[in-house]
Amino acid sequence: MDEKKAAILGEIPRLRRYARSLLRDRDSADDLVQDCLERALVRLDNWQTGESPRRWLFTIMHHLFIDQMRKVNRRGEAAMLPLEAGEAVAQPAEQLDGIASREIINALQAISPDRRAALVMVAIEGFSYAEAANMLGVPAGTLMSRIARGREELRGLLDDTARRRAIRIVEK
């Protein structure tokens, strides 16, 4: 039992990264991770020893996220969470890589949650298409379609951001 708990604890950084990609707010992401860990510990018998708990935990987290989004939609509340105070403060860029990273994160947050989840699972977390499709509860073809459309949408958003940045540079 302690081996299972230790393996689950080892996945917390990945769970936090995935939760943060789904929810822009750190506190909400931490709450999602906590809910996921609570559910996992209660249902520890459902995880089969010998397997990495990663797929199992990501599946739990994804289902919790979907449930949370459904509750928000039913209440009619805004689905996107507000920026944290530190994120809203504009600071001059010190490195171009930092600017590019922030633009990618903002663009990723702008695409639909289904496409974002599919992209994060495959491109960032490194799951195979089959594993990600299984965790998200969709056919592999649907997952591949979401990834393709998500990448296309990201390209469009990033191209638009680059154009706006180039226009600002010219205007100065």
Side-chain angles (χ1 to χ4, degrees):
M1 195 63 90
D2 290 332
E3 290 177 20
K4 285 184 174 184
K5 289 180 182 176
I8 289 172
L9 288 176
E11 295 297 326
I12 291 176
R14 289 181 189 91
L15 290 170
R16 291 188 79 213
R17 182 174 58 211
Y18 181 56
R20 186 66 196 259
S21 72
L22 294 174
L23 302 164
R24 188 172 190 126
D25 182 56
R26 273 192 183 108
D27 294 332
S28 297
D30 287 342
D31 289 345
L32 183 61
V33 171
Q34 181 176 347
D35 292 344
C36 174
L37 293 172
E38 286 176 7
R39 187 168 288 182
L41 291 174
V42 167
R43 299 176 180 166
L44 200 54
D45 295 335
N46 292 353
W47 174 41
Q48 298 170 5
T49 310
E51 278 187 23
S52 168
R54 195 171 182 202
R55 280 193 348 224
W56 181 61
L57 290 168
F58 273 70
T59 302
I60 291 171
M61 181 175 285
H62 180 73
H63 289 296
L64 288 169
F65 171 70
I66 295 299
D67 291 346
Q68 184 180 18
M69 293 304 292
R70 287 180 181 151
K71 285 179 189 174
V72 167
N73 289 336
R74 266 194 306 255
R75 291 182 188 143
E77 298 172 6
M80 290 303 293
L81 299 170
L83 290 174
E84 294 177 357
E87 291 177 321
V89 176
Q91 297 177 348
E94 295 179 11
Q95 298 178 342
L96 291 177
D97 291 340
I99 294 171
S101 296
R102 177 53 58 196
E103 288 174 354
I104 292 169
I105 290 168
N106 288 340
L108 191 59
Q109 292 296 323
I111 65 175
S112 74
D114 290 338
R115 292 175 183 172
R116 181 172 57 238
L119 274 170
V120 169
M121 288 263 190
V122 174
I124 296 173
E125 296 301 332
F127 288 109
S128 70
Y129 287 149
E131 291 172 327
N134 187 20
M135 284 186 278
L136 297 175
V138 297
T142 301
L143 177 84
M144 289 188 281
S145 174
R146 287 179 182 175
I147 290 171
R149 288 185 179 133
R151 285 179 176 157
E152 184 179 315
E153 194 173 347
L154 274 176
R155 270 189 226 104
L157 289 168
L158 292 172
D159 285 346
D160 187 47
T161 302
R163 260 186 253 114
R164 278 188 272 131
R165 190 173 62 236
I167 290 170
R168 276 191 222 130
I169 292 171
V170 171
E171 291 176 346
K172 289 183 179 182

